[in-house]
Amino acid sequence: MFNPRRALVMAAAAVALALTSLPALAADIPPADTVVTSPNVSHVLNIPKPAPIAGTINTDIAFQGDYAYVGNYGGFSIYDISNPKKARPVSSVVCPGSQMDVSVYGDLLFTAVDSSRSDDSCNSTALTADHKEAWEGVRIFDVSDKANPKYIKSVETNCGSHTLTLVPGKGRDRNKNVYIYVSSYNPNATFPDCLPPHDKLSIIKVPLRNPTAAAVAATPVVFPDGGNETQPGLLLPTSGCHDITAYAEKDIAAGACMGDGVLFDISDRLNPKVTARTTDPNFAFWHSATFSNDARKVVFTDELGGGGGATCNEATGPNRGADAIYDISNGQFTFKSYFKIPRYQADSENCVAHNGSLIPVKGRDIMVQAWYMGGLSVWDFTDAANPKEIGYFERGPRSAGGGGGIWSAYYYNGYIYAADFHEGLDVVKVTDPLTNNARHVRTDRLNVQTQESYRNW
């Protein structure tokens, strides 16, 4: 999703989409605010947003041990999920700055800030990016005490940090450092810290024994000759990456880079190299990526309309605002098909392909994915040319009006956790012959943009 300084672009795209869309059939739209699911999906629990950040929207989620860390435009909250049926908030930190994407590693929580602030503190106020003193970047918190997280370090980065990706060190470096790949974009000649052409990543090196020494260690250029800038229908021309998913144990990463899909070799953590690149005439904005467990496939998402449009309707069709599934063979992309939720949404409902994760089923490629007001979808792309939905969870249009929906939906140790803009944290369970084997797979950490293989099937 875009941050406030890009709101004008979002609004124009949403208006354009609204003018061309047709109403979905009323009989297909759930009643306002009503939860509906497929027969194989159950709603286990809803936890409203804690009071300190109830007025701002939820975003991304990270997991470690018995805890979930939920980002929010106003800060973040930590939840005890040791018993998913009785999950509860432990603490909330008020520290405004969208989007607050989160990743956790040991006692450290990394949060992304891509809205200009008066300074790096949690007491900062909004400030336009044309001020040299404006701050954007990454904040680091010590979360060893879950009830009392401590803010320990900030690192400013060019054009802020729209999203971030944690990449562990390798070899002898693995227990010494982690690296944060910072994705940012949309430079402007009036922004002193975000000048054109940008087209790069900022890589923060974090010494694990001394995290307060974290600093930008490299700023490799992804598109030295420029990215996809002229394709008709692009939301914005390529000027960097929106999101990167790293598969560190395989030394690869997939970049969703505005107008381009990119494959990186990250064997040198400070010097990622582009090894493959693709575009798609149906894609308006390459948003995020998910590898299959064997890394022979990758799913890219298209954030058509910037997240503000009603794009899950008959007028938009099945191929725009969809996921694109690619085989990866000999280091190159081969397009196989599109996937989009088969349920039309009302024209009042912003709906877009958004954040999801694999459900670890041996021998199959299945993931759960958020679709904003389209809810969440569980779908199978084992046959990359013929993906299909297995189950779903969604709410009807908001009686309060306006947009919303599920930003992130991730599978962790037997349950699906979904961060809803307004409704808080939902706990969902899928019970289906195609997914039931995943119940036996456990992991002790999940940062979805830092994929790790599921080995203990």
Side-chain angles (χ1 to χ4, degrees):
M1 185 177 181
F2 291 99
N3 67 19
R5 77 174 181 228
R6 302 181 178 96
L8 185 60
V9 175
M10 267 185 65
V15 169
L17 284 164
L19 291 173
T20 60
S21 62
L22 297 175
L25 296 176
D28 297 333
I29 307 301
D33 302 327
T34 302
V35 170
V36 293
T37 70
S38 56
N40 57 353
V41 171
S42 57
H43 189 197
V44 176
L45 183 67
N46 172 262
I47 310 167
K49 290 181 291 184
I53 54 173
T56 42
I57 68 173
N58 279 342
T59 59
D60 207 15
I61 316 174
F63 304 87
Q64 188 167 247
D66 289 332
Y67 296 92
Y69 301 79
V70 180
N72 179 288
Y73 271 41
F76 65 89
S77 297
I78 302 176
Y79 294 79
D80 181 339
I81 58 170
S82 55
N83 181 348
K85 296 179 181 179
K86 297 181 179 179
R88 61 179 182 84
V90 175
S91 61
S92 292
V93 172
V94 176
C95 198
S98 64
Q99 297 182 140
M100 290 299 285
D101 274 16
V102 290
S103 286
V104 64
Y105 196 89
D107 291 334
L108 302 177
L109 184 73
F110 303 92
T111 67
V113 179
D114 190 28
S115 58
S116 297
R117 311 296 300 178
S118 57
D119 55 54
D120 64 351
S121 76
C122 289
N123 297 317
S124 64
T125 57
L127 188 68
T128 55
D130 55 0
H131 288 73
K132 176 61 180 174
E133 66 270 26
W135 181 89
E136 300 176 72
V138 173
R139 294 177 177 137
I140 306 174
F141 293 82
D142 182 329
V143 292
S144 53
D145 182 350
K146 305 298 184 289
N148 295 286
K150 295 180 180 179
Y151 181 17
I152 61 171
K153 176 69 176 180
S154 72
V155 181
E156 187 171 15
T157 58
N158 293 138
C159 298
S161 177
H162 194 68
T163 61
L164 57 78
T165 303
L166 188 150
V167 184
K170 57 182 297 186
R172 295 180 179 178
D173 190 43
R174 183 171 182 83
N175 295 321
K176 296 180 180 179
N177 299 292
V178 295
Y179 300 86
I180 306 298
Y181 286 13
V182 173
S183 294
S184 55
Y185 58 91
N186 209 29
N188 189 295
T190 68
F191 299 166
D193 297 321
C194 186
L195 296 172
H198 194 56
D199 280 337
K200 63 186 178 184
L201 305 178
S202 296
I203 302 179
I204 299 171
K205 182 178 181 180
V206 184
L208 292 173
R209 294 179 182 176
N210 184 21
T212 58
V216 174
T219 54
V221 175
V222 180
F223 303 103
D225 300 318
N228 182 9
E229 300 178 359
T230 60
Q231 175 184 307
L234 287 181
L235 190 59
L236 290 172
T238 298
S239 59
C241 292
H242 177 275
D243 207 348
I244 293 171
T245 294
Y247 208 147
E249 68 194 68
K250 297 181 183 294
D251 285 335
I252 58 173
C257 301
M258 304 179 71
D260 298 80
V262 173
L263 189 67
F264 293 97
D265 177 339
I266 60 169
S267 52
D268 181 345
R269 299 292 193 252
L270 290 174
N271 188 29
K273 295 184 180 298
V274 175
T275 57
R277 179 175 157 192
T278 189
T279 60
D280 186 321
N282 279 319
F283 263 43
F285 193 84
W286 294 68
H287 176 273
S288 53
T290 302
F291 287 105
S292 60
N293 191 57
D294 61 9
R296 295 178 181 176
K297 300 172 189 170
V298 64
V299 175
F300 284 106
T301 68
D302 177 19
E303 194 177 41
L304 178 65
T311 67
C312 297
N313 52 22
E314 186 176 10
T316 305
N319 294 340
R320 298 183 65 241
D323 299 326
I325 307 163
Y326 288 82
D327 278 348
I328 302 175
S329 179
N330 297 319
Q332 299 299 308
F333 294 123
T334 301
F335 173 78
K336 302 301 291 185
S337 68
Y338 295 112
F339 170 79
K340 191 172 182 179
I341 55 172
R343 293 159 284 108
Y344 291 145
Q345 304 297 303
D347 289 338
S348 63
E349 294 180 283
N350 57 307
C351 181
V352 70
H354 222 244
N355 296 355
S357 74
L358 293 184
I359 297 179
V361 180
K362 187 175 183 179
R364 304 200 71 86
D365 299 314
I366 298 174
M367 68 180 290
V368 57
Q369 182 180 1
W371 288 82
Y372 278 16
M373 292 191 76
L376 67 82
S377 175
V378 179
W379 62 286
D380 187 332
F381 62 102
T382 307
D383 180 351
N386 295 286
K388 61 180 182 180
E389 184 173 77
I390 297 170
Y392 66 88
F393 165 99
E394 68 166 303
R395 289 182 171 89
R398 296 187 71 226
S399 59
I406 295 175
W407 179 292
S408 302
Y410 300 145
Y411 183 93
Y412 183 71
N413 292 348
Y415 290 82
I416 294 167
Y417 297 86
D420 188 287
F421 279 46
H422 304 293
E423 302 302 323
L425 183 65
D426 286 304
V427 184
V428 175
K429 192 169 184 64
V430 57
T431 304
D432 189 278
L434 287 175
T435 62
N436 287 345
N437 286 343
R439 294 178 298 183
H440 306 294
V441 181
R442 291 291 182 269
T443 183
D444 59 2
R445 180 171 57 239
L446 179 66
N447 296 305
V448 170
Q449 290 76 27
T450 309
Q451 264 189 257
E452 298 181 77
S453 62
Y454 289 99
R455 298 177 181 178
N456 300 318
W457 299 99

